[in-house]
Amino acid sequence: MHSFWLRANAILTFSITILAFMCAMASVSDCFNSASPSAQIQITNINWFQKQRNGNEEVSLTMNITADLQSLFTWNTKQVFVFVAAEYRTPKNAVNQVSLWDAIIPAKEQAKFRVQTVNKYRFINQGSNLRGKDLNLTLHWHVMPKAGMMFADKLVIPGYRLPKEYR
Amino acid sequence: MGWIGDTVDSIKSIQVRQLLTQGVSLGMIVTSALIIWKALMCFTGSESPVVVVLSGSMEPGFKRGDILFLHMSNDPIRTGEIVVFNVDGREIPIVHRVIKVHERQETGEVEVLTKGDNNYGDDRLLYAQGQLWLQRHHIMGRAVGFLPYVGWVTIIMTEKPIIKYILIGALGLLVITSKD
């Protein structure tokens, strides 16, 4: 029980076990965090709303996004990925979710923000029945830890409507 | 010098029964590792329950060398989920985030677009020629957990195979020359 290799082997096994245990504990500590994030989204302007030649419609809009996600951060949080998606139904598709804007929040200080932006990704519908359509704008957040389980949740904000005519 | 002499002596003094016993115990170790891997595949419902991140397209969330734990369920695929998918014709799976979902009313078939967090554009450039969307059968699993740095061992062994041969050679030597 005294050779160099046996001792090195024992130290290595023990340290890996301890590391694995610490990662598991770090992950478990995230369960005790009760988060209470809040957000508001306003569509300040529909810049344009056109039908393309292939029959699909495209919308460009400007949004004002205000959110406070500071309560999601724990000591085991590496970053929070936040994005806003437009969700709606059409006769052809039961579910449509189109991501309009996203951002990475690396630290708690930047988790309370206000942003005015044009949609980062093109909002293209499969088909042409978006006129006058009701939408939900959902703010999703995805908490990515330094080690362990990731979890995601969302805040659904209903009540938006696209214009009845193209412009 | 004495160590080399001892090694040569122990190789000369090998008995057949002892060698066979060692061979069987090595086989037992290898097969139990295989059993654990297959059980993980069954448990998580995914073909490869653990993947190593190879590129920086999801930084700063996932860096090269991190490992991801995957899980596949029949739940519908929704935006924001980090999925691992195979493109026809490419053998290395890609781990990116879903940014668009269109699910058909009657059939429930789904069309999905993905993008790496650190990439400027979406993944249409990575899909097969003429493919605009991913379908459910392309997707191998969702990333549910992650551990940093552990995947570097796999990356080093894949990119410099000489290290793999050295390691296996050293292990083989240890097995042969060990006294039990």
Side-chain angles (χ1 to χ4, degrees):
Chain A
M1 201 44 207
H2 297 301
S3 77
F4 172 72
W5 291 111
L6 277 169
R7 281 176 177 162
N9 182 33
I11 291 176
L12 193 66
T13 316
F14 190 57
S15 50
I16 291 182
T17 314
I18 295 282
L19 258 177
F21 183 70
M22 276 172 31
C23 283
M25 285 295 108
S27 194
V28 164
S29 75
D30 272 344
C31 299
F32 296 116
N33 185 37
S34 56
S36 52
S38 65
Q40 280 170 327
I41 308 177
Q42 291 162 307
I43 299 185
T44 52
N45 189 31
I46 305 274
N47 305 331
W48 44 267
F49 181 9
Q50 287 297 320
K51 182 169 171 171
Q52 297 170 347
R53 242 167 285 164
N54 56 13
N56 292 337
E57 293 163 319
E58 185 170 348
V59 185
S60 164
L61 42 83
T62 309
M63 300 178 282
N64 215 340
I65 306 167
T66 317
D68 180 1
L69 301 174
Q70 289 189 321
S71 57
L72 291 172
F73 277 82
T74 67
W75 66 281
N76 189 30
T77 306
K78 182 195 289 192
Q79 68 178 39
V80 170
F81 185 87
V82 63
F83 68 97
V84 170
E87 299 177 4
Y88 58 95
R89 287 181 79 94
T90 59
K92 183 178 171 198
N93 291 335
V95 172
N96 293 285
Q97 292 180 323
V98 178
S99 173
L100 298 176
W101 169 87
D102 56 35
I104 292 176
I105 307 176
K108 191 168 179 166
E109 295 71 40
Q110 289 145 25
K112 190 166 179 170
F113 61 89
R114 184 196 185 88
V115 134
Q116 170 143 344
T117 171
V118 160
N119 51 311
K120 197 170 168 186
Y121 305 115
R122 300 175 67 182
F123 183 172
I124 299 179
N125 181 36
Q126 296 181 333
S128 53
N129 29 39
L130 273 187
R131 277 166 291 181
K133 175 73 69 181
D134 289 318
L135 300 176
N136 287 346
L137 283 181
T138 312
L139 185 88
H140 295 249
W141 55 86
H142 196 163
V143 179
M144 293 158 86
K146 294 191 175 116
M149 304 300 283
M150 308 189 278
F151 56 98
D153 206 350
K154 62 187 182 184
L155 184 65
V156 181
I157 309 177
Y160 301 92
R161 180 169 291 176
L162 289 175
K164 289 205 178 56
E165 292 304 323
Y166 292 135
R167 51 166 104 153
Chain B
M1 256 354 243
W3 175 78
I4 297 177
D6 280 340
T7 314
V8 170
D9 277 336
S10 62
I11 290 178
K12 277 192 204 158
S13 70
I14 278 177
Q15 302 147 312
V16 175
R17 184 180 288 182
Q18 193 187 25
L19 201 61
L20 280 175
T21 316
Q22 285 178 346
V24 169
S25 28
L26 191 66
M28 292 284 277
I29 295 175
V30 169
T31 44
S32 42
L34 195 65
I35 290 173
I36 293 176
W37 183 251
K38 292 287 175 188
L40 258 179
M41 271 172 61
C42 205
F43 187 60
T44 63
S46 158
E47 273 173 26
S48 49
V50 180
V51 290
V52 177
V53 177
L54 294 172
S55 75
S57 57
M58 285 292 281
E59 292 202 7
F62 301 145
K63 295 194 167 51
R64 198 169 129 86
D66 295 341
I67 64 171
L68 293 175
F69 298 104
L70 305 184
H71 192 276
M72 190 64 189
S73 65
N74 283 330
D75 290 343
I77 301 171
R78 294 285 175 253
T79 46
E81 294 176 348
I82 299 180
V83 295
V84 178
F85 58 92
N86 263 322
V87 177
D88 303 325
R90 277 177 193 252
E91 43 172 68
I92 304 179
I94 305 177
V95 188
H96 281 169
R97 194 184 295 270
V98 173
I99 59 167
K100 290 194 186 171
V101 170
H102 293 284
E103 185 178 300
R104 295 271 175 275
Q105 187 88 263
E106 280 111 45
T107 61
E109 278 168 18
V110 72
E111 287 183 330
V112 151
L113 180 62
T114 57
K115 174 183 172 289
D117 290 349
N118 205 24
N119 288 347
Y120 183 70
D122 57 39
D123 287 346
R124 290 213 163 110
L125 293 169
L126 294 172
Y127 297 165
Q129 186 79 292
Q131 181 185 3
L132 291 176
W133 302 96
L134 286 179
Q135 271 96 36
R136 200 185 177 96
H137 65 88
H138 289 114
I139 294 180
M140 285 162 36
R142 273 175 265 256
V144 294
F146 125 106
L147 274 181
Y149 309 120
V150 179
W152 271 113
V153 178
T154 313
I155 292 184
I156 292 172
M157 294 217 290
T158 314
E159 297 194 349
K160 295 187 173 31
I162 187 107
I163 296 191
K164 196 168 27 172
Y165 298 134
I166 292 176
L167 252 153
I168 294 183
L171 270 170
L173 205 65
L174 260 164
V175 165
I176 293 174
T177 59
S178 72
K179 296 282 184 267
D180 46 25

